[in-house]
């Protein structure tokens, strides 16, 4: 596909290094900025018009730290690209009704939501890295990280108010939240209330 010929194409394979890959992260800010620019340009030209493609945009928005773009992607997914029973719909002109169920958007949406709440890259757990603006309060339990750690989070007023990590393995664990960073020695199976800070 020539990008100039189809600037709103639904594929964003050239951004694989940012998602689902992890070569492009906050540790590579210039490349991450290029990903953000490319994603916004693609969407501004009509990209993300299928469920799976919009789910990919959601996950990329989470990785670049754009909560507003992520919220828009999720709103589009659960609006025009999902059925009333929350099944992902893919445009299909030859199918009765014009749409066909496609699981990719469902699985991708769940993955993207996870990325909004917890990211585990560059050896750091980032808690609530890309919270959408309207998600002012909420809680999630049982998120998993590399190493098998389990993370429970609660937030209010758009900020983290409580976080607990149950270690899945022994070692050092780096955690970031709300501009704060710390490192903990953890033992598998033990629970660590890492937020609020003392």
């Amino acid at each position: 596909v020539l990008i100039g010929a189809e600037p709103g194409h639904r594929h964003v394979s050239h951004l694989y290094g940012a998602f689902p890959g992890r070569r492009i992260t906050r540790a590579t800010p210039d490349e991450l900025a290029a990903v953000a620019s490319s994603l916004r340009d693609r969407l501004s030209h009509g990209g993300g018009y299928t469920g799976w493609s919009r789910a990919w945009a959601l996950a990329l928005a989470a990785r670049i730290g754009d909560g507003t773009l992520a919220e828009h992607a999720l709103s589009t997914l659960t609006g025009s690209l999902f059925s009333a029973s929350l099944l992902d719909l893919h445009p299909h002109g030859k199918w009765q009704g014009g749409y066909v169920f496609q699981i990719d958007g469902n699985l991708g949406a769940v993955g993207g939501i996870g990325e909004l709440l917890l990211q585990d890259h560059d050896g750091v757990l980032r808690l609530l890295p890309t919270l959408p603006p309207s998600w002012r309060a909420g809680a999630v339990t049982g998120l998993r990280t590399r190493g098998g750690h389990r993370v429970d989070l609660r937030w209010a007023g758009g900020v983290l108010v409580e976080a607990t990590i149950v270690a899945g393995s022994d070692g050092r664990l780096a955690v970031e939240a709300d501009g704060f960073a710390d490192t903990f020695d953890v033992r598998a199976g033990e629970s660590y209330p890492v937020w609020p800070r003392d």
Side-chain angles (χ1 to χ4, degrees):
V1 174
L2 296 174
I3 300 302
E6 197 178 345
H9 191 72
R10 65 193 178 279
H11 288 267
V12 286
S13 304
H14 61 296
L15 304 181
Y16 184 94
F19 183 87
R22 52 185 171 144
R23 188 186 65 76
I24 301 173
T25 66
R26 294 176 190 199
T28 58
D30 291 343
E31 291 176 331
L32 197 62
V35 168
S37 178
S38 181
L39 175 63
R40 291 181 183 120
D41 185 63
R42 184 64 61 92
L43 293 174
S44 74
H45 286 92
Y49 55 87
T50 66
W52 64 264
S53 181
R54 189 57 68 152
W56 200 349
L58 167 64
L60 282 163
R63 292 276 176 103
I64 64 173
D66 189 332
T68 301
L69 183 60
E71 185 165 47
H72 178 71
L74 194 55
S75 175
T76 301
L77 267 171
T78 57
S80 61
L81 296 175
F82 272 25
S83 70
S85 58
L86 294 179
L87 296 177
D88 173 42
L89 300 175
H90 183 84
H92 193 297
K94 296 179 182 177
W95 194 265
Q96 184 179 359
Y99 290 91
V100 63
F101 166 68
Q102 188 177 52
I103 192 68
D104 308 47
N106 288 102
L107 300 177
V110 172
I113 290 168
E115 292 284 339
L116 297 173
L117 302 173
L118 174 68
Q119 292 183 24
D120 179 10
H121 310 294
D122 307 317
V124 178
L125 298 185
R126 291 183 177 87
L127 312 179
L128 301 183
T130 313
L131 200 60
S134 69
W135 292 15
R136 301 299 298 156
V140 62
T141 60
L143 294 175
R144 293 289 179 156
T145 73
R146 293 178 182 92
H149 309 300
R150 192 188 84 208
V151 179
D152 300 337
L153 305 171
R154 187 171 60 83
W155 64 97
V159 296
L160 184 65
V161 295
E162 187 176 357
T164 302
I165 297 174
V166 177
S169 55
D170 296 345
R172 301 220 10 109
L173 189 61
V175 179
E176 288 183 5
D178 290 337
F180 176 83
D182 203 353
T183 304
F184 305 89
D185 289 312
V186 298
R187 293 180 59 84
E190 293 188 8
S191 180
Y192 300 87
V194 298
W195 206 271
R197 301 300 306 153
D198 295 332

